[in-house]
Amino acid sequence: MSLTEWNRELEHATAEDIVAWTWRRFAPDVMLTCSFQHDGVVLAHMLHAIAPEAPIVFINTGFHFPETLAYRDEIVRRFGLRLVELEPIMPRPEFAERYGLDLYARNPDLCCHINKVEPLKRYLPNMRAWINGRRRDQASTRTAIPIVEEHQGGLYKVNPLASWTSKDTFYYLERHGIPTHPLFEQGYTSIGCAPCTRPPLAGGDERSGRWAGREKTECGLHTFLEPKAE
Ligand code: SF4
């Protein structure tokens, strides 16, 4: 089957069925990236139900909110997840000395590259399928996300929640008795590193509090891979 046919077949499948399809087709080389926002937690719950051995990959930039780390620990303990924690490519003292801990304010692309993108890049060659929690309704830059994307090197990126809304994720957590992120109650709708995250701007989309006041809208994790040439 071609990528187009996969997408046609999966467009109306449930998220659980898409996760199961991914595992059937690519196991054991399947991972989920999870920054312990609600989308990632929903997918971790689904993936763990069918493949408890699948790695749940958390990129620990060293800049996360303490609330995120506490929520991560709580979810990992409740579900019994196999957490894989990726570290920045540069030890923190060296990073501080070379760039300063306020690099995020002067050059956030470089900061994301060192602390997020490069650690993931180094992990990905072990994988054939990368499940992630992006949704089409999160931002104008995400409205055309397909269910499955094919990248160079034979890696498939799978987006089981592409057609979900933030309410869908909230109701899923509620239905399964899973707690929400503590900052969600304080009005945060998208939660990344503490220095680069604010509650959403008035009238802005769910991700508008990320790098607020800057041109930047993505950390780079979802933009560095080249699509497979036609
Ligand atoms: S989100 Fe901000 S603090 Fe986190 S890695 Fe990127 S620039 Fe640095």
Side-chain angles (χ1 to χ4, degrees), residues 63 104 108 111-112 115 193 196 211:
F63 291 109
Y104 64 84
C111 188
C112 280
N115 294 302
C193 292
C196 303
W211 306 282

Side-chain angles (χ1 to χ4, degrees), residues 4 23 28 32 42 48 88 143 147 162 181:
T4 307
W23 184 254
L32 163 71
V42 165
H48 184 262
T143 54
I147 303 294
H181 192 299

Side-chain angles (χ1 to χ4, degrees), residues 59 61-64 92 95 101-117 192-197 210-211 214 216 218-220:
I59 305 174
T61 62
F63 291 109
H64 286 287
R92 187 46 43 104
F95 177 81
L101 289 177
D102 61 349
L103 182 64
Y104 64 84
R106 291 176 283 107
N107 189 341
D109 285 340
L110 179 60
C111 188
C112 280
H113 179 79
I114 294 168
N115 294 302
K116 282 183 153 182
V117 177
C193 292
C196 303
T197 302
R210 305 286 291 275
W211 306 282
R214 295 175 169 269
K216 188 173 170 69
E218 295 280 349
C219 62

